[in-house]
Amino acid sequence: DTAVSQTPKYLVTQMGNDKSIKCEQNLGHDTMYWYKQDSKKFLKIMFSYNNKELIINETVPNRFSPKSPDKAHLNLHINSLELGDSAVYFCASSQVETEAFFGQGTRLTVV
Amino acid sequence: AQSVTQPDIHITVSEGASLELRCNYSYGATPYLFWYVQSPGQGLQLLLKYFSGDTLVQGIKGFEAEFKRSQSSFNLRKPSVHWSDAAEYFCAVAAGTGTASKLTFGTGTRLQVTL
């Protein structure tokens, strides 16, 4: 039973399309995150939600919009995809001041 | 702002040899420190963490790390490396308290193990 699961695992799409990545955690954690890993493997936080409330919003284009329908789910919607959006996107969850548990990642390729 | 430096981009060791991966951090308060491992095509798995207390922490897969405040370091060690340890290793520091804290990662060290 996967703790943090993301779908899809792979996503190939054309420039200009809109796509969503879904994330669910069954750990009962209050906080969920989206991280982006670029082609150089550098990981950077994008967003954080606590109990459905946006807590952290790093400098991310407005085309990226997170949505948390409940505290177990955090989805990422991306509008008007660009080539530079190609990356691996990781969802994670944690409790207050504890370690983060990561999903398997979604490899997004924009062509 | 917090930062993490992993000076070694790529390290190659022979199977059975000892390993030390370096990590230096910059953070104003007492840091929460982590080591994660990423195997090819996989997510990030926590190896170990330091929050407080004993500065030598034990993790999974035979790894350990030592927190040295005076050197702002949190180096990862393993006495005898196995071929399955080949992966990318990330050091991270947690910043922020309360309802959410974000992880700031180093650039990673790729470990290659030769047989």
Side-chain angles (χ1 to χ4, degrees):
Chain A
D1 196 15
T2 306
V4 182
S5 59
Q6 300 177 226
T7 52
K9 189 169 181 179
Y10 300 97
L11 186 53
V12 181
T13 187
Q14 291 187 325
M15 278 195 304
N17 284 350
D18 302 338
K19 290 293 178 186
S20 292
I21 305 171
K22 296 186 176 183
C23 179
E24 175 182 7
Q25 55 97 0
N26 62 8
L27 298 167
H29 290 166
D30 291 327
T31 307
M32 295 185 72
Y33 312 81
W34 280 109
Y35 285 82
K36 179 180 179 179
Q37 185 174 46
D38 64 22
S39 58
K40 290 184 171 27
K41 301 263 182 167
F42 184 64
L43 282 148
K44 189 169 158 65
I45 192 166
M46 300 173 69
F47 302 103
S48 171
Y49 269 74
N50 180 267
N51 275 323
K52 303 193 294 176
E53 182 184 353
L54 181 64
I55 301 295
I56 295 173
N57 184 353
E58 294 291 290
T59 307
V60 176
N62 290 338
R63 299 181 295 101
F64 290 79
S65 55
K67 284 187 172 53
S68 181
D70 55 61
K71 76 172 194 176
H73 295 84
L74 180 61
N75 303 324
L76 183 65
H77 188 75
I78 316 169
N79 289 327
S80 303
L81 278 154
E82 301 176 358
L83 292 176
D85 297 331
S86 295
V88 181
Y89 293 85
F90 285 101
C91 178
S93 72
S94 73
Q95 280 294 50
V96 174
E97 298 184 358
T98 65
E99 65 270 29
F101 291 80
F102 284 80
Q104 291 297 295
T106 295
R107 181 175 294 276
L108 171 65
T109 304
V110 183
V111 298
Chain B
Q2 66 281 353
S3 65
V4 176
T5 301
Q6 293 181 248
D8 305 305
I9 296 173
H10 187 198
I11 283 183
T12 300
V13 299
S14 300
E15 189 175 39
S18 64
L19 172 71
E20 182 169 30
L21 301 182
R22 295 183 291 164
C23 172
N24 292 95
Y25 69 90
S26 172
Y27 185 55
T30 299
Y32 291 173
L33 294 160
F34 308 85
W35 275 99
Y36 284 88
V37 60
Q38 183 180 24
S39 298
Q42 299 298 310
L44 293 151
Q45 182 183 24
L46 179 72
L47 285 176
L48 45 76
K49 63 188 179 189
Y50 172 77
F51 284 179
S52 65
D54 193 348
T55 56
L56 183 63
V57 292
Q58 303 297 320
I60 63 171
K61 305 184 181 187
F63 285 93
E64 66 177 28
E66 187 170 12
F67 170 59
K68 292 186 178 179
R69 185 187 299 275
S70 60
Q71 299 176 20
S72 296
S73 69
F74 188 56
N75 294 348
L76 182 71
R77 301 193 293 249
K78 186 169 185 178
S80 177
V81 169
H82 188 262
W83 64 266
S84 61
D85 293 324
E88 192 89 23
Y89 290 80
F90 293 95
C91 181
V93 62
T97 58
T99 55
S101 58
K102 66 177 186 181
L103 288 170
T104 297
F105 286 89
T107 49
T109 298
R110 184 177 166 218
L111 174 65
Q112 186 174 357
V113 180
T114 57
L115 301 176

